[in-house]
Amino acid sequence: MKKISLVAFLGNYGREYENTRHNVAWLFEKSLSYSGKLNWQSKFKGQFCKIDRNLLVGENQLKDDLIGESVYFLKPETYMNLSGESIIALMQFFKIKADEVLVVHDELELPCGTVSLKWSGGLGGHNGLRSTKENLGTADFWRLRFGIGRPDHKDIAGYVLSNFTSDEKIILSQIFPQTEKLMNDLFAKNPDNLLNSWKKKNLAPST
């Protein structure tokens, strides 16, 4: 059975990047209902923690071969363009395969409020994904993409390193809880079964 064993939340380390669009994955992790209970440790060029899978989703929801297994969370502190160095270090230590990895990241090609589950494919010019592919030797890993939209100017670097607007922060606060439910489903099920329903899902409330 396919499974997710490692969730890598991509972002840039440092207070000046804390609330930027490039750090939406770290903002999502902080929003998790159990975030404050996670026991983070410094290793693998970042912060990581280990969680019992059944505590995340409930043992009665797990397939038999997943009961008792752990899930690892990782926040690389290498800066975005070297994220793969942190990811591969943890994978090698805990013997995790590339197809068990879920990378959470920002996505320019999707509007704010849209969340997308994706398997393999292109990198969309994302430096964190590029580094992950280079270090893993394959693009065959899972991605959980948070739309941040494209700016109406050419300064992409400045855009992704700028803070979310007040309206965008409201949208994120509304879609994060729904995305947490998706991630819990990913821990309990074969992720293939969720691809179609979460290919590109607009979670932002209609106005």
Side-chain angles (χ1 to χ4, degrees):
M1 173 183 169
K2 291 183 179 179
K3 60 183 179 180
I4 300 297
S5 299
L6 166 62
V7 182
F9 301 90
L10 299 192
N12 284 313
Y13 178 71
R15 181 165 294 181
E16 66 269 35
Y17 300 111
E18 190 173 356
N19 295 305
T20 63
R21 293 180 172 88
H22 231 13
N23 274 38
V24 66
W26 286 19
L27 294 173
F28 171 57
E29 183 280 316
K30 283 186 178 180
S31 80
L32 297 174
S33 59
Y34 48 83
S35 177
K37 300 177 182 178
L38 297 178
N39 182 24
W40 293 95
Q41 303 174 56
S42 295
K43 197 172 182 179
F44 311 117
K45 299 184 179 182
Q47 299 286 322
F48 90 100
C49 61
K50 177 182 177 181
I51 316 162
D52 288 339
R53 194 181 296 262
N54 61 303
L55 295 179
L56 292 171
V57 297
E59 187 170 323
N60 61 336
Q61 298 182 54
L62 289 176
K63 299 292 185 180
D64 289 343
D65 53 354
L66 292 179
I67 293 176
E69 286 204 355
S70 297
V71 176
Y72 296 91
F73 282 3
L74 175 68
K75 292 190 289 187
E77 294 181 337
T78 56
Y79 293 106
M80 189 67 77
N81 62 342
L82 297 175
S83 300
E85 295 181 1
S86 177
I87 295 171
I88 192 64
L90 187 147
M91 289 173 61
Q92 290 175 341
F93 188 87
F94 291 113
K95 297 179 173 58
I96 294 173
K97 300 175 183 177
D99 63 4
E100 299 176 41
V101 175
L102 175 70
V103 176
V104 185
H105 65 93
D106 57 304
E107 177 55 62
L108 282 165
E109 303 305 328
L110 298 174
C112 185
T114 296
V115 176
S116 172
L117 179 66
K118 182 180 179 182
W119 162 252
S120 191
L123 308 178
H126 195 288
N127 289 333
L129 294 181
R130 183 182 297 114
S131 175
T132 302
K133 179 183 178 181
E134 288 174 354
N135 282 272
L136 273 59
T138 180
D140 292 343
F141 52 87
W142 295 91
R143 300 97 183 270
L144 180 57
R145 307 185 295 164
F146 281 98
I148 60 170
R150 267 195 178 273
D152 55 3
H153 53 77
K154 295 183 179 180
D155 183 14
I156 299 299
Y159 176 74
V160 300
L161 294 177
S162 61
N163 289 351
F164 284 103
T165 66
S166 297
D167 287 345
E168 289 170 335
K169 289 177 182 177
I170 292 172
I171 291 173
L172 293 179
S173 70
Q174 294 168 330
I175 71 171
F176 280 168
Q178 299 175 71
T179 311
E180 179 178 341
K181 292 178 182 178
L182 162 64
M183 198 163 69
N184 288 344
D185 281 345
L186 287 170
F187 296 142
K189 303 174 182 177
N190 183 333
D192 279 343
N193 296 337
L194 296 167
L195 265 176
N196 286 337
S197 58
W198 283 89
K199 186 175 182 180
K200 288 181 183 177
K201 198 158 186 174
N202 182 4
L203 300 179
S206 56
T207 56

